[in-house]
Amino acid sequence: MAVTLHDVARVAGVSIKTVSNVINAYPHIRPATRERVEAAIAELGYVPNLTARSLKSGRTGAIALAVPELGLSYFAELAAAVIEAAEAAGLVVLVEQTGGDRDRELELLRSPRLKMTDGLIFSALGMSEADVASLDVDFPVVLLGERIFGGPTDHVTMRNVEAARAATEYLIASGRRRIAVVGAHEGEVVGSAALRMQGYLEALEAHGIDYDESLIGYTTLWHRSNGARSITELLDRGAEFDAVFGLNDTLALGAMRVLQASGRRVPEDVAVMGFDDLDEAGYSIPSLTTVDPGQRWIAQTAVATLMERIATGAELGPPRLLLADFRIAERESAGAVRAQRVS
Amino acid sequence: MAVTLHDVARVAGVSIKTVSNVINAYPHIRPATRERVEAAIAELGYVPNLTARSLKSGRTGAIALAVPELGLSYFAELAAAVIEAAEAAGLVVLVEQTGGDRDRELELLRSPRLKMTDGLIFSALGMSEADVASLDVDFPVVLLGERIFGGPTDHVTMRNVEAARAATEYLIASGRRRIAVVGAHEGEVVGSAALRMQGYLEALEAHGIDYDESLIGYTTLWHRSNGARSITELLDRGAEFDAVFGLNDTLALGAMRVLQASGRRVPEDVAVMGFDDLDEAGYSIPSLTTVDPGQRWIAQTAVATLMERIATGAELGPPRLLLADFRIAERESAGAVRAQRVS
DNA sequence: ATGCTGGGGTACAACGTTGTAGAGTACCCG
DNA sequence: CGGGTACTCTACAACGTTGTACCCCAGCAT
């Protein structure tokens, strides 16, 4: 079935090493020989066996990307960006879904399946600081997300605190005082939720606004339905607010839907701010003002960093923390100047 | 760096084949030997080298999935379902993005990168019937989508014509007569757009409704913005309609946004029907009535079919065409009985 | 002539694993 | 107590590729 170097060598009347040399652009080959070999390759339709090449070279040309779930738009867009960046670098990407589950994440790190790749871009969601030792594996890892800081691997992520603070201050600047939050994680001190909450709190404090626990909606997974459910709970218990900060876009969109269904106008009655700048944020009604946390840069940097580690190994020095720049993507759901009535 | 069978064998004081036998659960091994080997494996932290195993066995345990773009929710959800099904079967998935571009699709089929996988699940978008010969490759392929029928590979897809007809009849049954379409592809006879249009036409004809070309919005890529732009064009040229059939959810959602922005109520003034049943369809305002084309079944069947081909090769017989069942997912944007005023 | 240099090519081993063949032991049967 | 049989384990080759060592020959200087 499969055509090998042996077959090509036989047809071309040379040794297999010469065929190998032609393929790998070794310079010292007579033009006549090269032509015969190339003709044989074309005739037989030879395609190199990458598995064998990998075994010999120790490199596979593949990297793994582990995300919680591709069904979550944020991770789908992250995966798209990583695959694009990897392809530009001649790498292929193996995608794993962990479900954001700690045990599956830990299992993944130990899995022999990763032996088929040169390294891992790992978007952790379930692991915590206590599991940091598990990251100390014998292949290069680039960590994404904010579950763990100060681990043994390079880490590419976003400025969660600053960005959330800027988002909150953006709402404050437009005259909002009672800013609800959806997506907080109860009692958590690490992770995106905690960091964004911290930014929220810093903004409130800087502007002399008291923190009101009754405006905080807690939810575990950042699915769309949870944003809807969370804001429904706030409304049901009579919370009053003039803005909602969704700790991600999906939550914000779910919340926005409920607000509108309940007769509130966005942004006139309630401003809504998201976080992530998904594609979708530009197409909701109204379009969603949100934080662009620099996802594309994160994807590109993660791939580039991983490739450096693969190429140079530990000599590259101690683990690095790389942070993306952010910006507020201003759209309709929250405006710098409050749109209509000043209530 | 890497621990091999040799290292384990040396520590355990046995031959490497014995270690291999322990790992592969070969039955005839003395408990004492097994224990020594297992202790050595644990002590050294041995992990099998899958590349070497692949070279020997000819199987990699990986499959490739090629989709146009993970940023498109439909394909993100497809990829999620494929990865999940593959993982359940002990396979790992390598994801490629083709951008829906014909040349990149053809190149992918010839790429040696696929030598790292046992087979390919290929969601083609740019290829046409004329390229069918390119699918005749020497590794198993399962085709998704509707660009090509009758090709040399197994094909798993949905009942586009019947489903689109049912969707249109659903709108007709609720009293709609002037049903606009967004997402048609001009002059095309294959592909999802053409098939769904055919279902639309069949439904009109079956109910004695004249086809009105002025109600058809053409657009190439099924991005969200195109749904918005397409319906805007219809409105601008004064088209009158009481329903919109988006040839996919993304288009329908984009169109719905514009309709609402223009002051029309959905579904009272205009009913909106989608196609795909994305997660998102349940969370728009109003939630989107749409066709659930059986994507999960498609993903599972594609993986199962590919595995069969990998295991049995050509002996499995001629290429098969496998079609998923569909259903209408009834939500708010279109109702079986017209909601409010009867105009 | 002899030695040297370098282009053009070959043979062989090795990457880490598994299949095949077979060696050695213990056991059971007649 | 010879001869099978089942068990336990080993040596070796092979998967398809590339790195290393080397050989041969032409051209050139000594």
Side-chain angles (χ1 to χ4, degrees):
Chain A
M1 190 71 168
V3 180
T4 75
L5 283 182
H6 280 94
D7 304 318
V8 176
R10 192 164 8 83
V11 170
V14 295
S15 77
I16 67 165
K17 187 66 227 262
T18 299
V19 180
S20 172
N21 285 338
V22 169
I23 290 165
N24 294 286
Y26 179 73
H28 304 303
I29 302 174
R30 235 179 332 205
T33 314
R34 183 188 306 279
E35 274 166 34
R36 262 191 306 146
V37 170
E38 279 168 352
I41 288 175
E43 180 191 337
L44 299 174
Y46 169 75
V47 180
N49 181 320
L50 295 192
T51 302
R53 190 177 281 177
S54 292
L55 176 59
K56 192 70 182 118
S57 69
R59 291 278 189 80
T60 64
I63 60 175
L65 170 69
V67 295
E69 208 184 315
L70 282 182
L72 299 174
S73 300
Y74 176 79
F75 293 110
E77 294 185 11
L78 176 68
V82 166
I83 292 173
E84 195 185 319
E87 199 203 326
L91 296 173
V92 101
V93 181
L94 202 146
V95 181
E96 300 261 5
Q97 294 186 120
T98 62
D101 181 70
R102 172 174 173 271
D103 292 338
R104 284 176 64 192
E105 289 179 351
L106 294 178
E107 189 198 327
L108 177 76
L109 286 168
R110 275 177 280 120
S111 163
R113 302 206 301 232
L114 291 179
K115 273 276 135 78
M116 277 196 318
T117 65
D118 297 333
L120 170 67
I121 297 178
F122 185 29
S123 184
L125 195 60
M127 291 174 62
S128 67
E129 210 76 41
D131 303 312
V132 68
S134 310
L135 286 173
D136 200 6
V137 291
D138 64 351
F139 50 86
V141 174
V142 170
L143 184 68
L144 306 184
E146 23 279 331
R147 293 292 300 177
I148 291 177
F149 284 89
T153 71
D154 292 321
H155 187 179
V156 183
T157 188
M158 55 187 68
R159 300 181 186 276
N160 279 283
V161 178
E162 295 97 315
R165 176 171 174 162
T168 309
E169 289 182 331
Y170 183 94
L171 292 170
I172 295 171
S174 73
R176 315 285 170 165
R177 295 280 134 180
R178 298 192 53 77
I179 304 174
V181 172
V182 291
H185 289 184
E186 193 124 36
E188 206 176 82
V189 291
V190 294
S192 320
L195 296 175
R196 293 176 195 174
M197 272 305 283
Q198 186 187 328
Y200 167 80
L201 293 172
E202 286 182 12
L204 292 190
E205 189 171 357
H207 293 80
I209 301 176
D210 285 342
Y211 169 63
D212 182 350
E213 160 93 45
S214 74
L215 294 180
I216 308 304
Y218 295 95
T219 167
T220 48
L221 266 184
W222 282 353
H223 275 276
R224 199 182 306 258
S225 53
N226 297 30
R229 215 185 45 217
S230 188
I231 202 77
T232 302
E233 284 169 17
L234 287 189
L235 292 173
D236 284 355
R237 66 174 189 244
E240 296 198 357
F241 46 83
D242 53 11
V244 174
F245 180 20
L247 295 190
N248 82 354
D249 280 359
T250 311
L251 291 164
L253 290 166
M256 193 159 75
R257 170 181 196 241
V258 169
L259 289 172
Q260 292 174 312
S262 78
R264 287 163 179 81
R265 293 170 304 155
V266 177
E268 293 84 352
D269 301 326
V270 181
V272 177
M273 168 73 68
F275 198 117
D276 278 349
D277 194 24
L278 302 183
D279 258 17
E280 208 184 329
Y283 298 95
S284 59
I285 313 178
S287 59
L288 185 68
T289 296
T290 185
V291 176
D292 168 5
Q295 187 191 56
R296 175 161 292 270
W297 183 91
I298 290 175
Q300 289 166 347
T301 304
V303 171
T305 305
L306 188 59
M307 289 184 70
E308 280 182 54
R309 282 288 172 194
I310 290 168
T312 63
E315 292 123 45
L316 202 57
R320 291 166 297 173
L321 176 62
L322 300 158
L323 294 171
D325 288 336
F326 68 91
R327 52 177 268 279
I328 305 287
E330 302 187 49
R331 298 209 184 85
E332 297 165 357
S333 71
V337 176
R338 199 157 184 178
Q340 313 231 353
R341 59 170 187 182
V342 189
S343 88
Chain B
M1 190 71 168
V3 180
T4 75
L5 284 182
H6 279 94
D7 304 318
V8 177
R10 191 163 9 83
V11 170
V14 295
S15 77
I16 66 165
K17 188 65 229 260
T18 300
V19 180
S20 171
N21 285 340
V22 169
I23 289 165
N24 294 285
Y26 179 75
H28 305 302
I29 301 174
R30 230 177 339 193
T33 314
R34 183 189 307 280
E35 272 166 35
R36 262 190 305 145
V37 171
E38 278 166 352
I41 288 175
E43 179 190 337
L44 299 173
Y46 169 76
V47 179
N49 181 320
L50 295 192
T51 302
R53 189 177 282 176
S54 293
L55 176 59
K56 193 71 182 112
S57 69
R59 291 278 189 80
T60 65
I63 62 175
L65 170 69
V67 295
E69 209 184 314
L70 282 181
L72 299 174
S73 301
Y74 176 78
F75 293 109
E77 294 185 11
L78 176 68
V82 166
I83 292 172
E84 195 185 321
E87 199 202 327
L91 296 173
V92 102
V93 181
L94 201 147
V95 180
E96 301 260 5
Q97 295 185 118
T98 63
D101 181 68
R102 173 174 173 272
D103 292 338
R104 284 176 64 192
E105 289 179 352
L106 294 178
E107 189 198 326
L108 177 75
L109 286 168
R110 276 177 280 121
S111 163
R113 302 205 301 229
L114 292 179
K115 275 273 134 85
M116 275 195 319
T117 65
D118 296 333
L120 170 67
I121 297 179
F122 186 27
S123 184
L125 195 60
M127 291 175 62
S128 66
E129 210 76 41
D131 302 312
V132 69
S134 311
L135 285 174
D136 199 6
V137 291
D138 65 350
F139 50 88
V141 174
V142 170
L143 184 68
L144 307 184
E146 23 279 331
R147 295 292 301 177
I148 292 177
F149 283 90
T153 69
D154 292 322
H155 187 179
V156 183
T157 186
M158 54 187 70
R159 302 183 184 276
N160 279 282
V161 179
E162 295 96 316
R165 175 171 173 162
T168 309
E169 289 182 331
Y170 183 94
L171 291 171
I172 293 171
S174 75
R176 315 287 171 163
R177 295 279 133 178
R178 297 192 53 75
I179 304 174
V181 172
V182 290
H185 287 182
E186 193 125 37
E188 205 176 82
V189 291
V190 293
S192 322
L195 296 174
R196 292 176 194 174
M197 271 305 284
Q198 186 187 328
Y200 166 79
L201 292 171
E202 285 182 12
L204 292 190
E205 191 172 357
H207 293 81
I209 301 177
D210 286 340
Y211 169 63
D212 182 350
E213 159 93 45
S214 74
L215 294 180
I216 308 304
Y218 294 96
T219 167
T220 47
L221 266 184
W222 282 354
H223 274 277
R224 199 186 246 95
S225 53
N226 297 30
R229 214 184 45 217
S230 187
I231 202 76
T232 302
E233 284 168 18
L234 287 188
L235 292 174
D236 284 353
R237 65 174 191 245
E240 297 198 357
F241 46 83
D242 54 12
V244 173
F245 179 21
L247 295 190
N248 83 353
D249 281 357
T250 311
L251 291 164
L253 291 167
M256 194 160 76
R257 171 182 194 240
V258 169
L259 289 171
Q260 292 174 311
S262 77
R264 288 163 178 80
R265 292 171 305 155
V266 178
E268 293 83 354
D269 301 326
V270 180
V272 176
M273 168 74 69
F275 197 116
D276 278 349
D277 195 23
L278 301 183
D279 258 16
E280 207 184 329
Y283 298 94
S284 59
I285 312 178
S287 59
L288 186 68
T289 296
T290 185
V291 176
D292 168 5
Q295 187 191 55
R296 177 163 290 271
W297 183 90
I298 290 176
Q300 290 166 346
T301 305
V303 170
T305 305
L306 187 60
M307 288 183 71
E308 281 182 53
R309 283 287 173 194
I310 291 168
T312 63
E315 292 122 47
L316 201 57
R320 291 166 299 173
L321 176 61
L322 300 158
L323 294 171
D325 288 336
F326 68 90
R327 54 177 267 278
I328 305 288
E330 303 186 48
R331 299 210 183 84
E332 297 165 357
S333 70
V337 175
R338 200 157 182 174
Q340 313 232 353
R341 60 171 188 181
V342 189
S343 90

